[in-house]
Amino acid sequence: MQTVNSLKEMQVLVQKIRAQDKRIALVPTMGFLHTGHLSLMHEGKRRGDVLVTSIFVNPTQFGAGEDFEEYPRDMERDQKMAHEAGVDVIFAPPAAEMYPSGYQTYVTVERVTQGLCGISRPDHFKGVTTVVCKLFNIVTPHVAIFGEKDFQQLVAIRQMVADLNLAVEVVGMPIYREEDGLAMSSRNKYLTPPERKAALAIIHALRRASELFGDGERRAGEIITEAKTIIEAEPLAQIDYVKICDTKTLHDTKQIKAEAVLAVAVNIGKTRLIDNCVLDPLTMRVS
Ligand code: AMP
Protein backbone atom coordinates (compact mmCIF):
# COMPACT_ATOMS: atom_id res chain seq x y z
CA MET A 1 0.00 0.00 0.00
CA GLN A 2 1.23 3.48 -0.76
CA THR A 3 0.13 6.87 0.51
CA VAL A 4 0.00 9.65 -2.04
CA ASN A 5 -0.34 13.27 -0.97
CA SER A 6 0.30 15.17 -4.16
CA LEU A 7 -2.52 15.65 -6.71
CA LYS A 8 -0.07 15.50 -9.58
CA GLU A 9 1.44 12.24 -8.34
CA MET A 10 -2.05 10.75 -7.96
CA GLN A 11 -2.97 11.77 -11.51
CA VAL A 12 0.20 10.19 -12.94
CA LEU A 13 -0.41 7.01 -10.95
CA VAL A 14 -4.03 6.56 -12.11
CA GLN A 15 -3.00 7.18 -15.70
CA LYS A 16 -0.59 4.26 -15.42
CA ILE A 17 -3.26 2.07 -13.80
CA ARG A 18 -5.79 2.92 -16.52
CA ALA A 19 -3.19 2.22 -19.23
CA GLN A 20 -3.02 -1.33 -17.84
CA ASP A 21 -6.80 -1.67 -18.34
CA LYS A 22 -7.35 -2.06 -14.60
CA ARG A 23 -10.56 -1.04 -12.85
CA ILE A 24 -10.15 1.63 -10.20
CA ALA A 25 -12.46 1.57 -7.15
CA LEU A 26 -12.61 4.64 -4.91
CA VAL A 27 -13.84 4.91 -1.32
CA PRO A 28 -13.90 8.56 -0.26
CA THR A 29 -13.63 9.14 3.50
CA MET A 30 -12.71 11.79 6.02
CA GLY A 31 -10.55 9.27 7.87
CA PHE A 32 -10.62 8.17 11.49
CA LEU A 33 -11.67 4.87 10.01
CA HIS A 34 -14.11 2.43 11.58
CA THR A 35 -15.64 -0.88 10.54
CA GLY A 36 -18.33 0.92 8.51
CA HIS A 37 -15.61 2.41 6.29
CA LEU A 38 -13.94 -1.00 6.05
CA SER A 39 -17.16 -2.57 4.75
CA LEU A 40 -17.03 -0.05 1.87
CA MET A 41 -13.41 -0.96 1.24
CA HIS A 42 -14.17 -4.66 1.10
CA GLU A 43 -16.84 -3.93 -1.50
CA GLY A 44 -14.38 -1.74 -3.41
CA LYS A 45 -11.87 -4.56 -3.37
CA ARG A 46 -14.47 -6.87 -4.87
CA ARG A 47 -15.44 -4.40 -7.59
CA GLY A 48 -12.08 -3.03 -8.69
CA ASP A 49 -8.54 -4.20 -9.46
CA VAL A 50 -6.98 -1.26 -7.65
CA LEU A 51 -8.58 0.13 -4.50
CA VAL A 52 -8.01 3.78 -3.70
CA THR A 53 -9.32 5.34 -0.52
CA SER A 54 -9.18 9.07 0.00
CA ILE A 55 -8.68 10.49 3.46
CA PHE A 56 -9.49 14.17 3.45
CA VAL A 57 -11.29 16.22 6.08
CA ASN A 58 -12.96 18.50 3.60
CA PRO A 59 -13.16 22.07 4.95
CA THR A 60 -15.85 23.21 2.48
CA GLN A 61 -18.48 20.82 3.88
CA PHE A 62 -18.23 22.22 7.41
CA GLY A 63 -20.24 25.30 8.30
CA ALA A 64 -19.09 28.11 10.57
CA GLY A 65 -19.10 26.89 14.17
CA GLU A 66 -19.09 23.22 13.14
CA ASP A 67 -16.44 20.69 14.14
CA PHE A 68 -13.85 21.01 11.34
CA GLU A 69 -10.99 21.74 13.74
CA GLU A 70 -11.96 19.08 16.29
CA TYR A 71 -12.84 16.40 13.72
CA PRO A 72 -10.84 13.32 14.80
CA ARG A 73 -7.72 12.58 12.75
CA ASP A 74 -5.25 9.70 13.08
CA MET A 75 -3.38 8.99 9.86
CA GLU A 76 -1.12 6.31 11.32
CA ARG A 77 -4.04 4.28 12.62
CA ASP A 78 -5.95 4.82 9.35
CA GLN A 79 -2.97 3.61 7.30
CA LYS A 80 -2.79 0.42 9.34
CA MET A 81 -6.54 -0.26 9.03
CA ALA A 82 -6.62 0.55 5.31
CA HIS A 83 -3.64 -1.71 4.69
CA GLU A 84 -5.38 -4.57 6.49
CA ALA A 85 -8.53 -3.96 4.44
CA GLY A 86 -6.54 -4.39 1.22
CA VAL A 87 -6.38 -0.74 0.15
CA ASP A 88 -3.73 -0.23 -2.53
CA VAL A 89 -3.46 3.54 -2.44
CA ILE A 90 -4.39 6.10 0.21
CA PHE A 91 -4.91 9.51 -1.33
CA ALA A 92 -4.53 12.16 1.35
CA PRO A 93 -4.18 15.55 -0.34
CA PRO A 94 -3.36 18.71 1.60
CA ALA A 95 -6.26 21.17 1.79
CA ALA A 96 -4.07 23.87 0.23
CA GLU A 97 -3.71 21.72 -2.91
CA MET A 98 -7.40 20.91 -3.12
CA TYR A 99 -8.43 24.53 -2.52
CA PRO A 100 -5.52 26.79 -3.45
CA SER A 101 -5.90 30.51 -2.92
CA GLY A 102 -8.15 31.93 -5.61
CA TYR A 103 -10.35 28.82 -5.65
CA GLN A 104 -13.93 29.67 -6.74
CA THR A 105 -15.68 26.73 -8.41
CA TYR A 106 -18.41 24.65 -6.72
CA VAL A 107 -20.81 21.92 -7.74
CA THR A 108 -24.34 22.37 -6.40
CA VAL A 109 -27.08 19.77 -6.63
CA GLU A 110 -30.25 21.75 -6.20
CA ARG A 111 -33.43 20.07 -5.02
CA VAL A 112 -32.45 16.92 -3.12
CA THR A 113 -30.07 18.91 -0.93
CA GLN A 114 -32.72 21.40 0.22
CA GLY A 115 -34.49 19.42 2.96
CA LEU A 116 -33.32 17.20 5.84
CA CYS A 117 -29.67 18.10 6.70
CA GLY A 118 -29.76 20.91 4.11
CA ILE A 119 -31.91 22.99 6.45
CA SER A 120 -29.55 23.13 9.42
CA ARG A 121 -26.39 22.74 7.27
CA PRO A 122 -27.14 24.97 4.27
CA ASP A 123 -23.72 24.79 2.52
CA HIS A 124 -22.83 21.26 3.55
CA PHE A 125 -23.86 19.40 0.40
CA LYS A 126 -22.28 21.98 -1.88
CA GLY A 127 -18.98 21.15 -0.14
CA VAL A 128 -19.62 17.42 -0.41
CA THR A 129 -20.53 17.34 -4.11
CA THR A 130 -17.66 19.69 -4.93
CA VAL A 131 -15.05 17.56 -3.19
CA VAL A 132 -16.48 14.30 -4.56
CA CYS A 133 -16.48 15.74 -8.08
CA LYS A 134 -12.87 16.83 -7.62
CA LEU A 135 -11.90 13.40 -6.28
CA PHE A 136 -13.60 11.77 -9.27
CA ASN A 137 -11.64 14.03 -11.62
CA ILE A 138 -8.32 13.34 -9.90
CA VAL A 139 -8.68 9.60 -9.20
CA THR A 140 -10.86 8.77 -12.28
CA PRO A 141 -12.52 5.76 -10.60
CA HIS A 142 -14.65 3.30 -12.54
CA VAL A 143 -16.65 2.69 -9.39
CA ALA A 144 -17.08 4.62 -6.14
CA ILE A 145 -18.52 3.22 -2.92
CA PHE A 146 -20.56 5.25 -0.42
CA GLY A 147 -22.52 4.42 2.72
CA GLU A 148 -26.30 4.62 3.03
CA LYS A 149 -25.70 6.04 6.48
CA ASP A 150 -25.35 9.42 4.76
CA PHE A 151 -28.49 8.80 2.75
CA GLN A 152 -29.05 12.34 1.48
CA GLN A 153 -25.38 12.58 0.49
CA LEU A 154 -25.70 9.39 -1.55
CA VAL A 155 -28.84 10.69 -3.31
CA ALA A 156 -27.06 13.99 -4.09
CA ILE A 157 -23.99 12.21 -5.46
CA ARG A 158 -26.11 9.94 -7.67
CA GLN A 159 -27.91 13.05 -8.96
CA MET A 160 -24.62 14.82 -9.67
CA VAL A 161 -23.23 11.79 -11.51
CA ALA A 162 -26.37 11.55 -13.66
CA ASP A 163 -26.66 15.29 -14.32
CA LEU A 164 -22.98 15.83 -15.16
CA ASN A 165 -22.66 12.58 -17.14
CA LEU A 166 -19.80 11.37 -14.98
CA ALA A 167 -18.54 7.93 -16.00
CA VAL A 168 -18.51 6.51 -12.48
CA GLU A 169 -20.67 3.72 -11.13
CA VAL A 170 -21.97 4.73 -7.70
CA VAL A 171 -22.56 1.92 -5.21
CA GLY A 172 -24.39 2.36 -1.90
CA MET A 173 -23.65 0.09 1.06
CA PRO A 174 -25.83 -0.69 4.11
CA ILE A 175 -25.28 1.01 7.45
CA TYR A 176 -22.77 -0.78 9.63
CA ARG A 177 -23.75 -0.72 13.29
CA GLU A 178 -22.21 -1.34 16.71
CA GLU A 179 -23.50 -4.45 18.45
CA ASP A 180 -26.08 -2.40 20.36
CA GLY A 181 -27.35 -0.80 17.14
CA LEU A 182 -25.63 2.61 17.16
CA ALA A 183 -24.62 3.47 13.59
CA MET A 184 -20.83 3.62 13.34
CA SER A 185 -19.50 7.13 12.86
CA SER A 186 -16.19 8.88 13.40
CA ARG A 187 -18.18 11.41 15.46
CA ASN A 188 -19.17 8.74 18.03
CA LYS A 189 -15.73 9.43 19.51
CA TYR A 190 -17.10 12.74 20.84
CA LEU A 191 -19.74 11.02 23.01
CA THR A 192 -19.22 10.85 26.77
CA PRO A 193 -20.37 7.55 28.35
CA PRO A 194 -23.81 8.96 29.33
CA GLU A 195 -24.19 10.46 25.84
CA ARG A 196 -23.18 7.18 24.22
CA LYS A 197 -26.02 5.54 26.16
CA ALA A 198 -28.45 8.32 25.28
CA ALA A 199 -27.60 7.90 21.58
CA LEU A 200 -29.33 4.51 21.66
CA ALA A 201 -32.65 6.37 21.67
CA ILE A 202 -32.05 6.76 17.91
CA ILE A 203 -31.91 3.04 17.17
CA HIS A 204 -34.81 2.41 19.55
CA ALA A 205 -36.87 4.93 17.57
CA LEU A 206 -35.88 3.38 14.23
CA ARG A 207 -36.72 -0.09 15.52
CA ARG A 208 -40.11 1.01 16.79
CA ALA A 209 -40.81 2.69 13.44
CA SER A 210 -39.81 -0.48 11.57
CA GLU A 211 -42.06 -2.50 13.82
CA LEU A 212 -45.04 -0.24 13.11
CA PHE A 213 -44.28 -0.39 9.39
CA GLY A 214 -43.99 -4.19 9.62
CA ASP A 215 -47.41 -4.29 11.28
CA GLY A 216 -48.86 -2.48 8.28
CA GLU A 217 -48.82 1.17 9.37
CA ARG A 218 -48.43 3.34 6.26
CA ARG A 219 -49.27 6.79 7.66
CA ALA A 220 -45.93 8.59 7.88
CA GLY A 221 -47.24 11.00 10.52
CA GLU A 222 -48.11 8.16 12.92
CA ILE A 223 -44.70 6.54 12.54
CA ILE A 224 -42.87 9.86 12.95
CA THR A 225 -44.83 10.73 16.09
CA GLU A 226 -43.90 7.44 17.78
CA ALA A 227 -40.26 7.73 16.74
CA LYS A 228 -40.10 11.29 18.05
CA THR A 229 -41.71 10.32 21.35
CA ILE A 230 -38.96 7.77 21.97
CA ILE A 231 -36.18 10.24 21.23
CA GLU A 232 -37.82 13.06 23.18
CA ALA A 233 -37.94 10.82 26.25
CA GLU A 234 -34.13 10.95 26.33
CA PRO A 235 -33.08 14.15 28.14
CA LEU A 236 -29.67 14.37 26.43
CA ALA A 237 -31.19 14.15 22.95
CA GLN A 238 -32.35 17.14 20.94
CA ILE A 239 -34.13 16.35 17.65
CA ASP A 240 -33.07 18.24 14.53
CA TYR A 241 -35.51 16.29 12.34
CA VAL A 242 -37.39 13.02 12.05
CA LYS A 243 -38.81 12.66 8.53
CA ILE A 244 -40.12 10.09 6.13
CA CYS A 245 -39.22 10.87 2.54
CA ASP A 246 -39.39 9.30 -0.87
CA THR A 247 -35.98 7.66 -1.43
CA LYS A 248 -35.52 9.25 -4.87
CA THR A 249 -36.86 12.80 -4.55
CA LEU A 250 -36.45 13.12 -0.76
CA HIS A 251 -39.85 14.84 -0.71
CA ASP A 252 -41.87 14.29 2.46
CA THR A 253 -44.11 11.25 2.27
CA LYS A 254 -47.57 11.30 3.85
CA GLN A 255 -48.66 7.77 3.00
CA ILE A 256 -45.91 5.22 2.35
CA LYS A 257 -46.79 3.80 -1.06
CA ALA A 258 -43.31 3.66 -2.59
CA GLU A 259 -39.90 3.03 -1.09
CA ALA A 260 -39.33 5.62 1.64
CA VAL A 261 -36.58 6.49 4.07
CA LEU A 262 -37.11 7.33 7.71
CA ALA A 263 -34.28 9.78 8.30
CA VAL A 264 -33.29 11.27 11.64
CA ALA A 265 -30.79 13.83 12.85
CA VAL A 266 -30.36 14.21 16.58
CA ASN A 267 -28.00 16.26 18.69
CA ILE A 268 -26.67 14.34 21.64
CA GLY A 269 -24.99 17.01 23.71
CA LYS A 270 -22.82 18.81 21.15
CA THR A 271 -22.61 15.84 18.79
CA ARG A 272 -24.90 15.71 15.77
CA LEU A 273 -25.74 12.15 14.76
CA ILE A 274 -27.69 10.99 11.71
CA ASP A 275 -29.26 7.62 11.02
CA ASN A 276 -31.97 6.16 8.84
CA CYS A 277 -33.83 3.08 7.73
CA VAL A 278 -35.48 2.32 4.40
CA LEU A 279 -39.12 1.25 4.42
CA ASP A 280 -40.21 -0.58 1.29
CA PRO A 281 -43.96 -1.26 1.03
CA LEU A 282 -43.54 -3.56 -1.99
CA THR A 283 -41.21 -6.04 -0.36
CA MET A 284 -42.03 -5.01 3.24
CA ARG A 285 -38.26 -4.73 3.54
CA VAL A 286 -36.94 -2.65 6.41
CA SER A 287 -33.25 -1.90 6.36
P1 AMP B 1 -17.06 9.85 6.44
O1 AMP B 1 -15.64 9.50 6.69
O2 AMP B 1 -17.91 9.90 7.66
O3 AMP B 1 -17.23 11.02 5.51
O4 AMP B 1 -17.67 8.61 5.63
C1 AMP B 1 -17.06 8.11 4.47
C2 AMP B 1 -17.98 7.12 3.83
O5 AMP B 1 -18.26 6.06 4.74
C3 AMP B 1 -19.34 7.70 3.43
O6 AMP B 1 -19.74 7.16 2.18
C4 AMP B 1 -20.24 7.26 4.56
O7 AMP B 1 -21.60 7.15 4.18
C5 AMP B 1 -19.65 5.90 4.86
N1 AMP B 1 -20.01 5.49 6.21
C6 AMP B 1 -19.84 6.20 7.36
N2 AMP B 1 -20.34 5.52 8.41
C7 AMP B 1 -20.83 4.35 7.91
C8 AMP B 1 -21.48 3.22 8.50
N3 AMP B 1 -21.75 3.15 9.81
N4 AMP B 1 -21.85 2.20 7.68
C9 AMP B 1 -21.59 2.26 6.35
N5 AMP B 1 -20.99 3.30 5.74
C10 AMP B 1 -20.61 4.32 6.51
Side-chain angles (χ1 to χ4, degrees):
M1 188 185 78
Q2 57 178 311
T3 300
V4 175
N5 299 114
S6 130
L7 266 68
K8 187 76 214 149
E9 203 183 310
M10 192 68 217
Q11 283 172 314
V12 170
L13 180 63
V14 294
Q15 261 170 19
K16 281 192 197 139
I17 295 167
R18 281 207 164 232
Q20 295 166 2
D21 253 350
K22 288 189 173 156
R23 263 176 82 75
I24 301 172
L26 172 67
V27 176
T29 80
M30 296 206 299
F32 207 71
L33 301 178
H34 52 67
T35 319
H37 293 120
L38 300 188
S39 71
L40 272 51
M41 290 171 191
H42 292 140
E43 187 63 16
K45 196 80 196 146
R46 221 174 56 74
R47 289 176 178 264
D49 301 311
V50 175
L51 174 58
V52 180
T53 193
S54 55
I55 296 183
F56 180 61
V57 184
N58 174 36
T60 63
Q61 72 187 70
F62 290 80
E66 289 187 356
D67 57 342
F68 173 68
E69 300 293 342
E70 305 92 73
Y71 197 84
R73 295 159 169 92
D74 190 339
M75 185 52 88
E76 229 171 83
R77 177 175 162 277
D78 287 351
Q79 280 172 319
K80 195 164 169 285
M81 288 175 78
H83 178 64
E84 281 165 14
V87 169
D88 298 294
V89 183
I90 290 183
F91 178 48
E97 271 205 52
M98 290 293 271
Y99 302 107
S101 80
Y103 188 90
Q104 50 188 299
T105 303
Y106 294 89
V107 179
T108 307
V109 174
E110 293 184 354
R111 289 191 291 284
V112 297
T113 64
Q114 297 295 300
L116 302 176
C117 291
I119 295 170
S120 54
R121 307 187 75 192
D123 286 329
H124 170 66
F125 290 110
K126 174 177 151 192
V128 169
T129 43
T130 298
V131 80
V132 170
C133 187
K134 284 168 70 68
L135 290 169
F136 284 179
N137 286 334
I138 298 160
V139 178
T140 67
H142 297 81
V143 56
I145 329 288
F146 296 87
E148 285 181 1
K149 156 124 183 326
D150 298 87
F151 199 89
Q152 190 176 16
Q153 165 175 293
L154 180 56
V155 172
I157 288 166
R158 286 192 198 283
Q159 189 70 45
M160 172 183 77
V161 165
D163 290 350
L164 297 183
N165 314 98
L166 305 181
V168 185
E169 182 192 355
V170 173
V171 175
M173 293 295 290
I175 301 175
Y176 212 93
R177 298 181 178 282
E178 303 284 357
E179 229 162 76
D180 60 8
L182 181 68
M184 288 195 181
S185 164
S186 307
R187 289 192 167 98
N188 292 349
K189 182 185 172 7
Y190 298 145
L191 301 170
T192 62
E195 288 172 348
R196 172 67 183 73
K197 226 167 139 201
L200 292 179
I202 299 172
I203 186 66
H204 294 154
L206 293 183
R207 285 192 185 135
R208 177 67 188 131
S210 309
E211 193 177 68
L212 287 169
F213 178 75
D215 290 344
E217 181 59 80
R218 294 293 177 268
R219 292 167 300 175
E222 297 299 312
I223 298 177
I224 290 169
T225 302
E226 287 229 19
K228 277 188 167 169
T229 305
I230 291 170
I231 300 169
E232 281 163 357
E234 173 48 64
L236 295 177
Q238 187 74 41
I239 293 175
D240 178 359
Y241 63 75
V242 176
K243 295 248 175 185
I244 296 183
C245 303
D246 179 273
T247 52
K248 292 193 180 60
T249 62
L250 298 186
H251 290 159
D252 284 356
T253 298
K254 281 207 170 70
Q255 193 76 19
I256 307 170
K257 293 191 188 123
E259 193 185 66
V261 59
L262 168 64
V264 308
V266 177
N267 288 299
I268 306 282
K270 283 193 197 134
T271 306
R272 187 172 184 280
L273 300 177
I274 56 170
D275 203 340
N276 69 78
C277 65
V278 172
L279 310 169
D280 187 345
L282 293 178
T283 61
M284 293 287 290
R285 183 179 71 103
V286 178
S287 61

Tab-separated table of all heavy atoms in Angstrom, residues 28-31 34 36-37 39-40 71 145-150 153 173-176 183-186, ligand 1:
chain	number	residue	atom	x	y	z
A	28	PRO	N	-14.235	7.276	-0.879
A	28	PRO	CA	-13.898	8.561	-0.257
A	28	PRO	C	-14.262	8.566	1.229
A	28	PRO	O	-15.366	8.149	1.599
A	28	PRO	CB	-14.778	9.577	-1.015
A	28	PRO	CG	-15.331	8.841	-2.202
A	28	PRO	CD	-15.390	7.398	-1.782
A	29	THR	N	-13.350	9.041	2.063
A	29	THR	CA	-13.628	9.142	3.503
A	29	THR	C	-12.986	10.412	4.061
A	29	THR	O	-12.150	11.033	3.406
A	29	THR	CB	-13.041	7.963	4.321
A	29	THR	OG1	-11.640	8.201	4.543
A	29	THR	CG2	-13.216	6.632	3.625
A	30	MET	N	-13.384	10.713	5.297
A	30	MET	CA	-12.707	11.791	6.017
A	30	MET	C	-11.786	11.195	7.084
A	30	MET	O	-11.335	11.906	7.991
A	30	MET	CB	-13.717	12.738	6.651
A	30	MET	CG	-14.551	13.453	5.580
A	30	MET	SD	-15.197	15.040	6.096
A	30	MET	CE	-16.216	14.574	7.467
A	31	GLY	N	-11.500	9.887	6.954
A	31	GLY	CA	-10.552	9.266	7.872
A	31	GLY	C	-11.147	8.962	9.232
A	31	GLY	O	-12.359	8.945	9.399
A	34	HIS	N	-13.440	3.415	10.726
A	34	HIS	CA	-14.111	2.430	11.576
A	34	HIS	C	-14.603	1.301	10.685
A	34	HIS	O	-14.418	1.347	9.456
A	34	HIS	CB	-15.244	3.090	12.373
A	34	HIS	CG	-16.211	3.876	11.523
A	34	HIS	ND1	-17.045	3.274	10.602
A	34	HIS	CD2	-16.461	5.207	11.445
A	34	HIS	CE1	-17.773	4.210	10.014
A	34	HIS	NE2	-17.430	5.392	10.499
A	36	GLY	N	-17.420	0.509	9.587
A	36	GLY	CA	-18.327	0.919	8.510
A	36	GLY	C	-17.545	1.289	7.255
A	36	GLY	O	-17.876	0.864	6.139
A	37	HIS	N	-16.471	2.067	7.432
A	37	HIS	CA	-15.613	2.412	6.292
A	37	HIS	C	-15.017	1.134	5.685
A	37	HIS	O	-14.917	1.016	4.472
A	37	HIS	CB	-14.444	3.300	6.744
A	37	HIS	CG	-14.822	4.670	7.218
A	37	HIS	ND1	-14.546	5.117	8.487
A	37	HIS	CD2	-15.436	5.709	6.590
A	37	HIS	CE1	-14.954	6.371	8.624
A	37	HIS	NE2	-15.509	6.751	7.491
A	39	SER	N	-16.201	-1.809	5.554
A	39	SER	CA	-17.163	-2.575	4.752
A	39	SER	C	-17.228	-1.997	3.327
A	39	SER	O	-17.390	-2.732	2.350
A	39	SER	CB	-18.551	-2.588	5.410
A	39	SER	OG	-19.162	-1.317	5.322
A	40	LEU	N	-17.071	-0.685	3.202
A	40	LEU	CA	-17.033	-0.048	1.872
A	40	LEU	C	-15.765	-0.477	1.128
A	40	LEU	O	-15.782	-0.719	-0.083
A	40	LEU	CB	-17.045	1.476	2.012
A	40	LEU	CG	-18.387	2.212	2.093
A	40	LEU	CD1	-19.331	1.643	3.121
A	40	LEU	CD2	-18.178	3.700	2.320
A	71	TYR	N	-12.523	17.683	14.352
A	71	TYR	CA	-12.835	16.400	13.717
A	71	TYR	C	-11.664	15.437	13.949
A	71	TYR	O	-10.505	15.799	13.728
A	71	TYR	CB	-13.095	16.587	12.211
A	71	TYR	CG	-13.797	15.395	11.621
A	71	TYR	CD1	-15.181	15.279	11.698
A	71	TYR	CD2	-13.079	14.363	11.038
A	71	TYR	CE1	-15.833	14.163	11.191
A	71	TYR	CE2	-13.723	13.243	10.524
A	71	TYR	CZ	-15.096	13.152	10.602
A	71	TYR	OH	-15.728	12.044	10.103
A	145	ILE	N	-17.664	3.851	-3.929
A	145	ILE	CA	-18.523	3.225	-2.925
A	145	ILE	C	-18.824	4.231	-1.811
A	145	ILE	O	-17.901	4.838	-1.262
A	145	ILE	CB	-17.840	1.987	-2.270
A	145	ILE	CG1	-16.889	1.260	-3.229
A	145	ILE	CG2	-18.852	1.051	-1.645
A	145	ILE	CD1	-17.483	0.487	-4.326
A	146	PHE	N	-20.111	4.340	-1.484
A	146	PHE	CA	-20.558	5.252	-0.421
A	146	PHE	C	-21.480	4.502	0.531
A	146	PHE	O	-22.064	3.485	0.162
A	146	PHE	CB	-21.313	6.446	-1.022
A	146	PHE	CG	-20.467	7.308	-1.906
A	146	PHE	CD1	-20.323	7.014	-3.259
A	146	PHE	CD2	-19.791	8.404	-1.386
A	146	PHE	CE1	-19.523	7.808	-4.080
A	146	PHE	CE2	-19.000	9.207	-2.197
A	146	PHE	CZ	-18.864	8.903	-3.549
A	147	GLY	N	-21.655	5.059	1.737
A	147	GLY	CA	-22.524	4.423	2.721
A	147	GLY	C	-23.925	5.003	2.709
A	147	GLY	O	-24.095	6.210	2.528
A	148	GLU	N	-24.911	4.143	2.924
A	148	GLU	CA	-26.301	4.621	3.026
A	148	GLU	C	-26.544	5.363	4.337
A	148	GLU	O	-27.589	5.940	4.535
A	148	GLU	CB	-27.274	3.437	2.921
A	148	GLU	CG	-27.415	2.916	1.510
A	148	GLU	CD	-28.382	1.764	1.387
A	148	GLU	OE1	-28.975	1.364	2.411
A	148	GLU	OE2	-28.514	1.250	0.271
A	149	LYS	N	-25.574	5.296	5.239
A	149	LYS	CA	-25.704	6.042	6.484
A	149	LYS	C	-25.940	7.525	6.179
A	149	LYS	O	-26.758	8.178	6.797
A	149	LYS	CB	-24.430	5.868	7.309
A	149	LYS	CG	-24.188	6.977	8.279
A	149	LYS	CD	-24.047	6.465	9.654
A	149	LYS	CE	-23.882	7.561	10.655
A	149	LYS	NZ	-23.136	8.721	10.172
A	150	ASP	N	-25.175	8.029	5.196
A	150	ASP	CA	-25.355	9.421	4.762
A	150	ASP	C	-26.288	9.385	3.549
A	150	ASP	O	-25.859	9.590	2.411
A	150	ASP	CB	-23.998	10.022	4.417
A	150	ASP	CG	-23.083	10.038	5.627
A	150	ASP	OD1	-22.385	9.018	5.862
A	150	ASP	OD2	-23.085	11.017	6.362
A	153	GLN	N	-26.638	12.407	1.220
A	153	GLN	CA	-25.376	12.582	0.493
A	153	GLN	C	-25.325	11.633	-0.707
A	153	GLN	O	-24.958	12.027	-1.818
A	153	GLN	CB	-24.226	12.295	1.455
A	153	GLN	CG	-22.881	12.087	0.803
A	153	GLN	CD	-21.776	11.939	1.828
A	153	GLN	OE1	-21.454	12.881	2.539
A	153	GLN	NE2	-21.183	10.773	1.925
A	173	MET	N	-23.798	1.240	0.145
A	173	MET	CA	-23.654	0.092	1.056
A	173	MET	C	-24.457	0.300	2.344
A	173	MET	O	-24.574	1.427	2.823
A	173	MET	CB	-22.184	-0.093	1.428
A	173	MET	CG	-21.309	-0.522	0.267
A	173	MET	SD	-21.751	-2.154	-0.336
A	173	MET	CE	-21.177	-3.155	1.033
A	174	PRO	N	-25.007	-0.803	2.897
A	174	PRO	CA	-25.827	-0.687	4.113
A	174	PRO	C	-25.081	-0.093	5.306
A	174	PRO	O	-23.857	-0.138	5.357
A	174	PRO	CB	-26.223	-2.138	4.416
A	174	PRO	CG	-25.731	-2.981	3.312
A	174	PRO	CD	-24.835	-2.170	2.437
A	175	ILE	N	-25.853	0.403	6.246
A	175	ILE	CA	-25.278	1.013	7.452
A	175	ILE	C	-24.664	-0.075	8.339
A	175	ILE	O	-25.314	-1.074	8.644
A	175	ILE	CB	-26.368	1.751	8.264
A	175	ILE	CG1	-27.018	2.831	7.408
A	175	ILE	CG2	-25.797	2.328	9.557
A	175	ILE	CD1	-28.199	3.528	8.085
A	176	TYR	N	-23.449	0.148	8.730
A	176	TYR	CA	-22.766	-0.778	9.630
A	176	TYR	C	-22.953	-0.268	11.060
A	176	TYR	O	-22.742	0.910	11.329
A	176	TYR	CB	-21.279	-0.836	9.264
A	176	TYR	CG	-20.670	-2.175	9.528
A	176	TYR	CD1	-20.611	-3.144	8.538
A	176	TYR	CD2	-20.151	-2.478	10.785
A	176	TYR	CE1	-20.062	-4.386	8.778
A	176	TYR	CE2	-19.599	-3.725	11.035
A	176	TYR	CZ	-19.550	-4.668	10.032
A	176	TYR	OH	-19.009	-5.898	10.289
A	183	ALA	N	-25.296	3.425	14.883
A	183	ALA	CA	-24.616	3.471	13.586
A	183	ALA	C	-23.176	3.922	13.802
A	183	ALA	O	-22.927	4.885	14.535
A	183	ALA	CB	-25.330	4.446	12.659
A	184	MET	N	-22.232	3.213	13.174
A	184	MET	CA	-20.832	3.618	13.342
A	184	MET	C	-20.611	4.974	12.699
A	184	MET	O	-21.152	5.261	11.635
A	184	MET	CB	-19.921	2.589	12.705
A	184	MET	CG	-19.883	1.332	13.507
A	184	MET	SD	-18.513	0.317	13.016
A	184	MET	CE	-18.783	-1.055	14.123
A	185	SER	N	-19.811	5.799	13.369
A	185	SER	CA	-19.504	7.131	12.859
A	185	SER	C	-18.226	7.609	13.538
A	185	SER	O	-18.014	7.333	14.725
A	185	SER	CB	-20.651	8.089	13.208
A	185	SER	OG	-20.221	9.431	13.067
A	186	SER	N	-17.413	8.322	12.794
A	186	SER	CA	-16.193	8.880	13.405
A	186	SER	C	-16.571	9.820	14.541
A	186	SER	O	-15.822	9.986	15.504
A	186	SER	CB	-15.373	9.640	12.357
A	186	SER	OG	-15.134	8.826	11.242
B	1	AMP	P1	-17.060	9.847	6.437
B	1	AMP	O1	-15.637	9.499	6.689
B	1	AMP	O2	-17.910	9.903	7.664
B	1	AMP	O3	-17.232	11.024	5.512
B	1	AMP	O4	-17.668	8.607	5.630
B	1	AMP	C1	-17.057	8.110	4.475
B	1	AMP	C2	-17.978	7.116	3.827
B	1	AMP	O5	-18.259	6.056	4.736
B	1	AMP	C3	-19.344	7.705	3.428
B	1	AMP	O6	-19.745	7.163	2.183
B	1	AMP	C4	-20.238	7.259	4.556
B	1	AMP	O7	-21.595	7.149	4.181
B	1	AMP	C5	-19.651	5.895	4.860
B	1	AMP	N1	-20.011	5.486	6.214
B	1	AMP	C6	-19.844	6.199	7.356
B	1	AMP	N2	-20.339	5.517	8.405
B	1	AMP	C7	-20.829	4.354	7.913
B	1	AMP	C8	-21.481	3.220	8.495
B	1	AMP	N3	-21.746	3.150	9.807
B	1	AMP	N4	-21.848	2.200	7.683
B	1	AMP	C9	-21.588	2.265	6.352
B	1	AMP	N5	-20.987	3.299	5.743
B	1	AMP	C10	-20.614	4.322	6.513
